[in-house]
Amino acid sequence: MIRNRIRKTGLLVLLGAMVGSLFSAFPATTHAASSEPYTWKSVVTGAGGGFVPGIIFNQTEPNLIYARTDIGGAYRWNQATSSWTSISDSVGWVDWNKNGVDALATDPIDPNKVYMATGTYTNHWDNNGQIMRSNDRGNTWQTTPLPFKVGGNMPGRSAGERLVIDPNKNNILYFGARSGNGLWKSIDSGVTWSKVTSFPNVGTYIQNPTLDYGNDLVGLSWITFDKSTGTLGNATQTIYVGVADTASSVYRSTDGGVTWTALAGQPTGFLPHHGELSSTGDLYITYSNGVGPYDGSKGEVWKYNKTSGAWTNISPTTGEDNWYGFGGLALDAQHPNTLMVSSLNAWWPDEVIFRSTNGGATWSRIWDWGNYPERTYKFSMDITAAPWLDHGTTSTSLDPSPKLGWMMGDLEIDPFNSNRMMYGTGATIYGSNNLTSWDTGGKVNISVMAKGVEETAVLGLISPPTGTSHLITALGDVSGFRHEDLSVAPTKFQTSPSWATTMSIDYAELSPSYMVRVGSADKEKTPSMKSIGISNDGGVNWYMPNSEPSNGTKTTVGHGQVAVSASGNSILWSTSDIGVYYSKTSGNSWTASAGLPAGAKIASDRVNPNKYYGFYAGTFYVSVDGGATFTATAASGFPTNNVAGLQPNEAQISMKAVPGIEGDIWFAGGNTVENKYGLWHSTNSGASFTKLTNVEEADLIGYGKAAPGQTYMALYTVAKIDGVRGVFRSDDVGATWVRINDDAHQYAKINMAITGDPRIYGRVYLGTNGRGTLYADPVNPPATGSTITPITASFDKKTANQTDVAVTMTLNGNTLSTIKNGTATLVAGTDYTVSGSTVTIKKAYLATQAVGTTTLTFSFSAGATQSLAVAVTDTTTPVSNSTITPTSAGFDKKTANQADVAVTMTLNGNTLSTIKNGTATLVAGTDYTVSGSTV
């Protein structure tokens, strides 16, 4: 919701008023950049994350369903997987406004055909729109330019549909334009278009004449055919058109669009949001006093009987209960008197869906008040597909979480299945498959039906070098996520502090678990909330510091950009409103930086914790005291246009320092207005820069793990190289580039965020404005050397202590070739065995090695050899000699003096074997006796 407000009012200048382009040159390449096939996938949020203003069911083919978004293109339903597939990924840099879909039509006669009216803004910053047509359900497109602008992201975008196909003669299409351009018609299946000059009312309603955004005529809101007034192959004669005019809003033609008249007796004072004709001959219309998606403080629901001409007010609410408009309108094709409408916008405590089975004579609410403040419910909510939709809050009756919805401008019942309903909200698509339980006293099971839709606006990406998460995002509207598994929806988004949009995020390169993000706290709702959050555990948990930057009279509203020093000992914050501030107390106190202008782009050196960089209006700055003071460098030649945003010809810069090398900086950006655009490199902390002549334009720069055999990190950029716009990678410090996306995967104007993965070579993360976060890996990754664990071991030759030595191999797609000891090759199956990725060096082999170090060399089918150093010891107890005492004695043969000679033995674990006199062996027990250690 908040993201849409930001995008709609052009406030993405909060990204910072920053531009870029520097100077000098690398040698130019003389050949076109090559390409490398990559597999592109969405980083899953599970819910989409953005506004879905329209859901369109084909009326003749079951399960053919489309969803249109305001800035993220359109999607087609896949019944087999209950998911959505993007049909807009081929939209490129130049034609980015095709991702704003103001209307969509699916052909009831030839279901392979689908049409879109695209163009994002009717303001000065966008170009004209177009009608896009496809004969293969959106897989490929052809385009007819229109001579005016289309507003897929403008007020009233959830009204509709503005683009329709004649259900009897499908070469005829009508489109209701904005900006006073009236009604347009094609008679050749959308190839050419002409204005219906007889249509009398181009609309009078302007949402907000004082704003650059919203000061335009909303124009025509919807078109509906009365199929019964034609036959197959012959044009339908009766057509109804809703116009954004509170005085006269519904017009009809009964002669195939030749003449038009306002319906007599129609309601006034309101704007028609949806109009649909039932087979009963009743035209149902939802009205609001605002066009949405945010406004509307009163509304009504009416039906017009085409036969009698009678108008009937069938509003579900009246009097003091009527304090919101009505937006979504759904008719049940199987039961023509059954219809549903949704509130627009009943912000508190929740939106309401109303259901009638008798043409609006009576209504049932999907929830109602019980014993206040408690409520009674006819529905249950299941958000297991995207648990973060509870927004991290505890649900109460007066503040439910998750919400039934908000910005509910479109609500549809499957024309082939009365039990299936879908509706769009500001963050996802909800739906049910047991809708008719409502009519029998049961509960309607509502769940997330947005699998495959990824519609977030990505404002920042980080991929830390350590930790369990490879990716953490900063997003519009839904704050951001920590992704441990890119294919699984996160359980929560960033909270404590909580705000809708995280504008910037960074981490300490040398202490990656320390992270900081900035947004804009809603002080009216929560006065104590801060616009900065800090994490000490890699983004798992966040906390608020005790203060925010203040200039003495004003505390910052937040937003802007944040940078964290290499060690995390300081934080630098370029706020959106009061200038640049630094903190050396983890955000508990702030001091204004000197020498760096307000609104500057900032970055930290990734090695030196005292060094920061800044850029503003053509000047590059450096700080060597932790952001306290900045000094301009001598580098020159930069663009001076300092606006950063999404509009055509606006400047955008991306400035980052390289991890591991102090003073190594890359700078991407510039603009076509000043004709200063490209990619620059500094190796001396910004004292000078060298411009790469092989890059014509560049808008983003990021780094990832170095290629095999390289030491410098891989570079990733969104750029124009050799005349081609795309996503590129360089493995050789920018000397050569390879394109890693293709024309089918362009994702519109990507100038939000990019980073490589420092732990996975070749992986890139891409942040878009409305197509969510993408990640991609090479289809054929280069051969990577194998590794072994451990690389040291020990072995004891003592028999009782001998054990095999196990080694785990990480093969990286290779195979083990040999294991050698010097020049001798070990014998597989005898000296060692292999089971999967485990090698077992047999103890029998190791027992033959000499005491010392035995080095075994592992060779693989690719990559470098790996060595295992085995420390061989022998703790077997050594043999010690026995001794006797004394070693000499005397004997007197005189009979009177004869005496035995006693000898004491020190055996040292041995035993006495024999006593000899020369070669003669003494006889034990006769010649000598043994008693213990005495002989």
Side-chain angles (χ1 to χ4, degrees), residues 611-658:
K611 190 175 289 186
Y612 284 99
Y613 306 107
F615 176 83
Y616 185 83
T619 301
F620 195 87
Y621 300 83
V622 62
S623 171
V624 295
D625 56 9
T629 59
F630 282 82
T631 303
T633 71
S636 61
F638 309 134
T640 58
N641 177 4
N642 223 72
V643 177
L646 300 177
Q647 290 81 43
N649 298 323
E650 284 191 342
Q652 174 75 21
I653 69 165
S654 175
M655 178 177 72
K656 296 180 182 178
V658 177

Side-chain angles (χ1 to χ4, degrees), residues 243-277:
V243 180
D245 183 345
T246 57
S248 181
S249 62
V250 183
Y251 291 79
R252 179 176 63 183
S253 173
T254 57
D255 54 12
V258 177
T259 61
W260 300 85
T261 58
L263 290 180
Q266 64 179 277
T268 60
F270 295 100
L271 304 164
H273 201 270
H274 278 81
E276 295 188 29
L277 186 68

Side-chain angles (χ1 to χ4, degrees), residues 219-490:
L220 278 58
S221 298
W222 50 263
I223 307 168
T224 296
F225 287 95
D226 183 353
K227 184 180 179 181
S228 67
T229 62
T231 58
L232 188 62
N234 298 293
T236 302
Q237 295 301 296
T238 299
I239 312 165
Y240 297 89
V241 177
V243 180
D245 183 345
T246 57
S248 181
S249 62
V250 183
Y251 291 79
R252 179 176 63 183
S253 173
T254 57
D255 54 12
V258 177
T259 61
W260 300 85
T261 58
L263 290 180
Q266 64 179 277
T268 60
F270 295 100
L271 304 164
H273 201 270
H274 278 81
E276 295 188 29
L277 186 68
S278 171
S279 61
T280 61
D282 290 314
L283 175 67
Y284 293 92
I285 305 173
T286 51
Y287 287 94
S288 175
N289 62 0
V291 293
Y294 313 111
D295 57 354
S297 59
K298 189 173 286 292
E300 294 177 347
V301 181
W302 286 76
K303 73 174 178 180
Y304 170 79
N305 186 272
K306 69 175 186 178
T307 302
S308 67
W311 286 89
T312 306
N313 187 339
I314 58 170
S315 300
T317 59
T318 58
E320 64 179 13
D321 292 329
N322 182 215
W323 47 271
Y324 44 78
F326 292 95
L329 168 66
L331 303 185
D332 187 341
Q334 304 296 315
H335 305 281
N337 281 314
T338 295
L339 70 152
M340 299 169 65
V341 298
S342 63
S343 57
L344 181 80
N345 284 290
W347 297 104
W348 178 91
D350 204 351
E351 298 291 344
V352 189
I353 298 175
F354 301 86
R355 180 174 173 88
S356 174
T357 57
N358 53 15
T362 59
W363 295 90
S364 171
R365 294 169 55 108
I366 201 165
W367 66 264
D368 214 332
W369 293 109
N371 186 15
Y372 186 87
E374 296 305 315
R375 298 191 291 158
T376 59
Y377 301 90
K378 293 186 175 70
F379 73 97
S380 63
M381 294 288 289
D382 178 3
I383 59 169
T384 54
W388 58 266
L389 282 169
D390 66 3
H391 289 194
T393 62
T394 301
S395 181
T396 68
S397 183
L398 297 183
D399 190 14
S401 183
K403 298 280 190 181
L404 178 66
W406 61 96
M407 299 161 59
M408 291 167 58
D410 195 26
L411 172 73
E412 301 293 337
I413 298 174
D414 188 332
F416 300 95
N417 181 359
S418 297
N419 268 313
R420 180 156 67 176
M421 164 191 69
M422 292 185 183
Y423 61 94
T425 75
T428 191
I429 298 172
Y430 282 121
S432 175
N433 288 311
N434 74 325
L435 181 59
T436 60
S437 294
W438 190 330
D439 306 325
T440 57
K443 280 195 173 183
V444 177
N445 300 325
I446 295 176
S447 61
V448 181
M449 287 190 176
K451 181 181 179 182
V453 176
E454 295 296 340
E455 203 205 342
T456 52
V458 185
L459 305 179
L461 298 172
I462 57 173
S463 182
T466 61
T468 59
S469 174
H470 281 247
L471 179 68
I472 301 174
T473 59
L475 305 178
D477 279 2
V478 290
S479 187
F481 300 104
R482 179 178 182 272
H483 295 273
E484 291 194 4
D485 186 334
L486 302 178
S487 63
V488 177

